[in-house]
Amino acid sequence: MTLSASEFSALDAHGIVAGLLGQDLFRAVIDRPDLHRAFAPGEVVLRKESRPGGMFVVIHGTLEMILSNRQGVEHMVRVAKAGDCLGVESVLCDTEAVYELRALTRASLLFVPKAEVLAWIDGSPAFSRRLMHLLADDVADLYEELEGLQHRSTIERLACYLHCGEGRERRGQPLLDEYTIALPYMKLAQRLGASQPHLSRAMRNLEDAGMIARHGRRIQIRDAAAFSRLLCTACQQSLRQQRDKSEARAVR
């Protein structure tokens, strides 16, 4: 399987290898059909306690990263999409995977063997810096995830997820009038560390309080001030900074 022109463009536009695919070091891996992997929805990409022997770069599609305890209770800790990189810790530390990776939608991935990852690190300062930033961001996100599960209600976690999106990608942006839930409700509940009944109750409570209105998967924000008070400290600080900048521009 070879990359199509659109897949190549998407991979080169954003993510861990954006802007690097024109270099021979990266192109040599990209052009190898044996390293391209396709997965159907629900298919396991990486099993817990396995040693992948390399990292995965998502070309297109959506995947879920699942942690499970000794009782088999699962919690989705991340949703990965185009441009994201997975399995780096197993490559750098030569450890077993502590999570399971499954395809949520039909997905196409590039598997980069450990030797090639190390060659990219040695040969490309830009890639090395991105990889270090990626690991630092992953650690920060994990701490936020744990703190949210321990100290924040399902309603508060839902509000933050709607506003910030996966990977905090919308943090720092103004509150929108409307959001769309991309995940199935069962998966969203798992992502928030809640049961589906708890998620349904949280949605109803927000509706009953007049903060939101639901139209299928579209969530309309009716009371922005009240909704923003549910957000975490970091989100509220970002919104205040946005508001202060807008007021400063208005004064000028």
Side-chain angles (χ1 to χ4, degrees):
M1 185 178 89
T2 57
L3 285 183
S4 67
S6 61
E7 288 175 331
F8 182 91
S9 297
L11 201 56
D12 199 39
H14 59 273
I16 191 72
V17 293
L20 302 175
L21 299 188
Q23 300 177 27
D24 291 342
L25 180 66
F26 296 88
R27 194 64 191 253
V29 175
I30 296 295
D31 287 344
R32 285 179 54 183
D34 61 304
L35 298 180
H36 302 162
R37 311 284 168 84
F39 297 90
E43 194 172 353
V44 176
V45 176
L46 177 63
R47 294 192 180 279
K48 184 179 178 181
E49 298 180 349
S50 66
R51 291 179 182 268
M55 73 176 191
F56 295 92
V57 180
V58 184
I59 300 171
H60 68 72
T62 307
L63 302 99
E64 57 178 339
M65 184 185 289
I66 301 291
L67 288 179
S68 56
N69 61 20
R70 293 177 181 175
Q71 289 72 44
V73 178
E74 297 183 342
H75 174 56
M76 186 198 302
V77 294
R78 182 181 175 189
V79 175
K81 52 192 181 305
D84 286 345
C85 177
L86 304 154
V88 181
E89 66 289 336
S90 294
V91 172
L92 298 181
C93 303
D94 195 27
T95 58
E96 295 178 343
V98 297
Y99 54 83
E100 183 162 289
L101 190 62
R102 301 178 198 151
L104 274 173
T105 65
R106 190 166 296 280
S108 174
L109 285 80
L110 173 71
F111 177 72
V112 187
K114 178 178 180 177
E116 308 302 333
V117 176
L118 297 179
W120 287 3
I121 292 172
D122 289 339
S124 173
F127 177 79
S128 299
R129 286 193 296 271
R130 288 180 191 176
L131 202 58
M132 292 305 101
H133 282 302
L134 171 72
L135 293 172
D137 288 344
D138 282 351
V139 171
D141 286 346
L142 180 58
Y143 275 112
E144 276 195 63
E145 195 81 29
L146 292 173
E147 184 180 2
L149 288 171
Q150 292 173 350
H151 303 297
R152 310 194 75 238
S153 67
T154 301
I155 289 179
E156 291 170 326
R157 296 199 301 276
L158 172 61
C160 265
Y161 192 85
L162 288 173
H163 172 61
C164 292
E166 191 64 43
R168 314 295 189 265
E169 61 187 12
R170 292 191 297 265
R171 176 171 289 173
Q173 296 185 19
L175 198 67
L176 300 181
D177 295 328
E178 185 175 286
Y179 297 94
T180 300
I181 296 176
L183 292 174
Y185 279 103
M186 179 184 71
K187 293 295 183 182
L188 178 59
Q190 196 179 67
R191 180 69 186 88
L192 298 176
S195 66
Q196 201 163 346
H198 276 132
L199 175 60
S200 297
R201 193 175 306 121
M203 289 281 195
R204 284 198 303 272
N205 288 343
L206 288 175
E207 285 185 291
D208 293 344
M211 293 188 210
I212 68 167
R214 277 193 287 177
H215 309 281
R217 292 190 172 276
R218 293 186 297 113
I219 307 294
Q220 184 181 10
I221 305 301
R222 290 286 183 83
D223 188 340
F227 184 84
S228 64
R229 286 195 291 272
L230 294 174
L231 302 179
C232 66
T233 302
C235 290
Q236 292 192 42
Q237 286 176 345
S238 297
L239 288 177
R240 279 197 295 271
Q241 289 169 0
Q242 285 289 330
R243 192 161 52 245
D244 291 344
K245 288 179 182 177
S246 296
E247 292 174 355
R249 284 195 294 267
V251 169
R252 293 195 196 107

